[in-house]
Amino acid sequence: MAQPTTSPRQNTLRRPAEPRPRANRDGNPSPARSQSTSFNWGAALDRWLTDQRSTLTLGVLLMGLALGLMVAFMSYLLNGPADQSVVGAAFSEPLNESGSETRNWVGLVGAYVAHVFVFRWFGVGALAIPIIVFLAGYKMTFGSELLPLSRTTTGLLFASVWISLILGYIVLVTDSAETASVWCGGIGYEFNVALYSLFGWGNLAFIAFALFAFVIYFFDVRSIKLPTFSRPSSPKPNRRSSDPLQTYSESEEEPNEEDEQDVDDARETAPESIQPPLANTFANTPVAPPAREQETPLPEVIAQTTGVTLTIKNREAVADTPDSSEELSATPAPTFEPDPFEEDDLVALHGLYDPTIDLPQYQYPVNELLTDYPNSRKAQVSDDELTVNKEKIENTLRNFGIEIDSIQASIGPTVTLYEIIPAKGVRISKIKSLEDDIALSLSALGIRIIAPMPGMGTIGIEVPNKNREMVSMRSVITSDIFSSSKFDLPIVLGKTISNEIYVADLAKMPHLLMAGATGQGKSVGLNVLLTSLIYKKHPSQLKLVLVDPKKVELTLFNKLERHFLAKLPDSEEPIITDTKKVVNTLNSLCIEMDNRYNLLKDAGCRNLKEYNAKFIKRRLNPEKGHHFLPYIVLIIDELADLMMTAGKEVEQPIARLAQLARAIGIHLVVATQRPSVNVITGLIKANFPARLSFKVTSKIDSRTILDTGGAEQLVGMGDMLLSSNSDIIRLQCPFVDTNEIEDICEFVGNQRGYDDAYALPEFVGDEGGQGDDKDVDMTNRDPMFDEAARLIVIHQQGSTSLIQRKLKLGYNRAGRLVDQLEAARIVGPFEGSKARDVLVQDLQTLEEILKRLKGE
């Protein structure tokens, strides 16, 4: 699953140092951002420019500046000679005197700016400058272009220079420099003076050639064709051939009016239906798109497809085949109207569909948002320590009568792996049983024995390092193996024992089950996973459904609502915390899954990747409901709480999604602190082949999550085991702290996003127990109904256990009483493990309700 992969987006911005303290996994303040890094104005400017408020403000400012420049330039063209003396004396006289004498409509500043652009540089060609500034401001303000900005800017800049040159030539030859040099500007006049002294009248040819060269490159002119005044008539070439592979180029023949008339006649006489044998041929045989629209008449397309040549004669279609020349009188000529969304010429006309078109200016998070730990601790294991540990392992094994042939060590970020080759005749199980004895001799927190190492022919002993290495998120995000990854959903999980960065594809897992005791790095692992996806995917390609029963772990991602998050249409909060909304969201995802499968069925695709590729090639019609489908990743931070409060209501949709949702791009990441069998049920566990465990408290929990022991021997703080494809890999999870997550979410959230979060299908479940009212027969109430009602109202506690204890009833009968009380609106609906709300506050009101029920 891991592959070496550097981001196509290499970021060069530097983030300013922030001296705020941070807490690491040890509970101690983590090192602040590099103090030696000075404030980087480039990074600050980039952050400012990505803010929508900044772009709006700057855009309006540029449009206003453009109007001011245009007024100043126009005024200078009329009053320029009179303002030249004022501009020249502006720095030597008081401003109030020089400013009052100017005739420019924008005052002294307008006169000075216009003097530079008009008189010294471009002359009347300077009027192009305000137009360019206005177009740039319009694009920043409204997010669209009146004219193509890049191409228009190039043309206007050339026009301003060329107009200055041609007017300078006119001013020079007419000897009117003193009165008209304001029209040509200094560039045009001085350039013509220099050229005229060298070439005389030949400088006009130079100016004309400059215009010719610009037109050639600007309009991409590659050849000059002379007009043809007469053309000898020649017989029309025979287009019809029995060879279905024969094609005709545009140079060999040109469509004429007779051909077009033949096409129209054929379409008028063609019937509505297609005979089944011929229709199947059309459906299964690709049709090469014509080089130009209606180049080949419609019947000929059919002929080239089926190997039958059709000849149009007096509005009748005659078939010529290699074996027969019978007329197709019995079988009418079929109509062939291909769906425009099945043709490649649509791609040639519009290009491939771009799913990022709604957010074309979206910027991926830069690396500088993550903290650089230049002085982070490294795993320091000296040669002397390695030698001592090897000797201790050999002596311990020798004390129990076990000889080994060799031992080697590999230093990792968290543990050092000692690989031993036992002597012949030694049983592996005997070494495995000495795990605690080896840990005692090494004075280690706990060791893990891998017997045997998969595919290695050795036995591995993992010994924790005394000085651990902290793996920063920035170090793995900027690595080549992650930044150049081509996975569909790449997630970086950490470093292996051999110090290799491990990158996995969530789309291939296809779901991930995480477990770990409190404080062992599970929440940090979820943040690492989310950060990996945000750094690699565009908002149009990925949507996140975040479920956080604890209400505090995933709230930092609220700012991504209009970019990456998905929610129910009526939901106010993008992060789902309420148990009822979790159930509705899970069922909504099941509806989304069914809808996507219907789209794949109509498109004839097997998975999301094939479907999106077909849609990008414009082979699916949006009018038929097809659209680009993003990946959806569901992340549940604490499954145990949901299982306690909702139980089967949560388990069933999770299991259904885990079973079926892989092909249509919905993937699950489920985390829990308590990997017990009543939380990770067999139905859920069977559909999560990829499982990741941080340190757990017991070997039973380790076997529940990984189907093997070892997770209880981890050293914590991000040390974890990944089980995938029956392989167990030990990893050190990267560390990303709260401040880094805040900076990433702020960077993305301040950019232009969609109007709202991605809307999931609406799901309406049974609210308030209304769905059970039909099953409760209030005319056949329990004999103890009144007594149970009074008991509930007196204690103001709507629980089944209270009725059991006080009335000495069994659970089933007490449950039926509670259902009847709910139907009578005395208690509220079921709310998981919490007691039901009591809707009646006093006995007097209750007695009135009971009388009314008896009267019915």
Side-chain angles (χ1 to χ4, degrees), residues 591-601 608 611 629-632 664-666 758:
I591 298 175
E592 173 77 8
M593 177 182 68
D594 295 335
N595 293 340
R596 289 191 172 199
Y597 268 118
N598 290 332
L599 291 177
L600 263 64
K601 175 185 175 183
L608 180 80
Y611 177 89
L629 299 178
Y631 285 95
I632 297 179
I664 44 82
I666 299 179
Y758 185 84

Side-chain angles (χ1 to χ4, degrees), residues 205-270:
F206 180 86
I207 297 173
F209 181 79
L211 177 62
F212 172 77
F214 176 79
V215 170
I216 292 296
Y217 284 93
F218 189 77
F219 295 101
D220 196 19
V221 179
R222 299 180 181 272
S223 62
I224 301 177
K225 297 182 178 180
L226 296 176
T228 303
F229 299 98
S230 62
R231 188 172 184 177
S233 60
S234 59
K236 182 168 59 176
N238 183 17
R239 294 189 187 184
R240 302 166 180 84
S241 171
S242 61
D243 183 2
L245 300 179
Q246 182 176 357
T247 58
Y248 299 88
S249 63
E250 188 172 333
S251 61
E252 292 176 350
E253 65 174 302
E254 293 289 336
N256 52 35
E257 297 179 358
E258 295 180 1
D259 293 334
E260 295 176 359
Q261 184 65 33
D262 290 344
V263 174
D264 295 337
D265 294 345
R267 285 177 177 167
E268 292 176 2
T269 59

Side-chain angles (χ1 to χ4, degrees), residues 420-442:
I420 64 175
I421 300 178
K424 294 182 179 180
V426 176
R427 300 182 62 180
I428 295 179
S429 59
K430 192 173 182 180
I431 299 178
K432 182 71 174 176
S433 63
L434 298 177
E435 189 173 69
D436 294 336
D437 299 280
I438 297 175
L440 178 63
S441 65
L442 294 173

Side-chain angles (χ1 to χ4, degrees), residues 433-468:
S433 63
L434 298 177
E435 189 173 69
D436 294 336
D437 299 280
I438 297 175
L440 178 63
S441 65
L442 294 173
S443 302
L445 296 176
I447 66 170
R448 176 171 171 262
I449 295 182
I450 310 171
M453 295 280 291
M456 300 293 292
T458 59
I459 296 176
I461 301 176
E462 295 175 348
V463 180
N465 297 330
K466 294 181 180 179
N467 297 319
R468 301 177 52 183

Side-chain angles (χ1 to χ4, degrees), residues 160-311:
S160 63
V161 176
W162 193 84
I163 291 173
S164 176
L165 293 177
I166 193 65
L167 290 179
Y169 177 80
I170 296 174
V171 169
L172 181 64
V173 298
T174 57
D175 199 18
S176 56
E178 295 181 359
T179 59
S181 59
V182 67
W183 295 93
C184 66
I187 292 178
Y189 184 77
E190 296 297 336
F191 189 84
N192 277 278
V193 169
L195 283 183
Y196 190 80
S197 61
L198 295 176
F199 304 105
W201 299 97
N203 66 335
L204 181 61
F206 180 86
I207 297 173
F209 181 79
L211 177 62
F212 172 77
F214 176 79
V215 170
I216 292 296
Y217 284 93
F218 189 77
F219 295 101
D220 196 19
V221 179
R222 299 180 181 272
S223 62
I224 301 177
K225 297 182 178 180
L226 296 176
T228 303
F229 299 98
S230 62
R231 188 172 184 177
S233 60
S234 59
K236 182 168 59 176
N238 183 17
R239 294 189 187 184
R240 302 166 180 84
S241 171
S242 61
D243 183 2
L245 300 179
Q246 182 176 357
T247 58
Y248 299 88
S249 63
E250 188 172 333
S251 61
E252 292 176 350
E253 65 174 302
E254 293 289 336
N256 52 35
E257 297 179 358
E258 295 180 1
D259 293 334
E260 295 176 359
Q261 184 65 33
D262 290 344
V263 174
D264 295 337
D265 294 345
R267 285 177 177 167
E268 292 176 2
T269 59
E272 295 292 333
S273 62
I274 296 178
Q275 295 297 327
L278 199 56
N280 293 336
T281 304
F282 297 152
N284 297 325
T285 306
V287 180
R292 93 185 242 200
E293 188 175 0
Q294 292 186 355
E295 169 112 23
T296 305
L298 189 59
E300 293 180 25
V301 175
I302 302 175
Q304 294 175 12
T305 305
T306 61
V308 179
T309 301
L310 300 180
T311 305

Side-chain angles (χ1 to χ4, degrees), residues 639-695:
L639 179 64
D641 182 75
L642 297 180
M643 295 296 290
M644 290 173 58
T645 56
K648 293 293 183 182
E649 294 181 277
V650 171
E651 180 185 9
Q652 292 178 355
I654 289 179
R656 187 164 184 262
L657 289 171
Q659 288 171 345
L660 302 175
R662 170 184 180 178
I664 44 82
I666 299 179
H667 303 278
L668 281 62
V669 179
V670 179
T672 181
Q673 292 181 6
R674 189 161 53 92
S676 56
V677 292
N678 60 334
V679 175
I680 304 178
T681 63
L683 190 61
I684 293 179
K685 185 177 178 180
N687 296 288
F688 282 80
R691 303 167 200 164
L692 191 151
S693 177
F694 294 88
K695 185 177 182 179

Side-chain angles (χ1 to χ4, degrees), residues 25 412-415 468-471 476 493-497 694 715-721 729-735:
R25 293 189 179 98
T414 306
V415 298
R468 301 177 52 183
E469 175 185 352
M470 191 196 71
V471 180
V476 294
L493 296 180
K495 281 188 176 182
T496 64
I497 292 177
F694 294 88
V715 295
M717 294 179 289
D719 189 18
M720 60 186 182
L721 294 176
I729 303 173
R730 190 165 187 171
L731 301 168
Q732 174 61 42
C733 181
F735 175 64

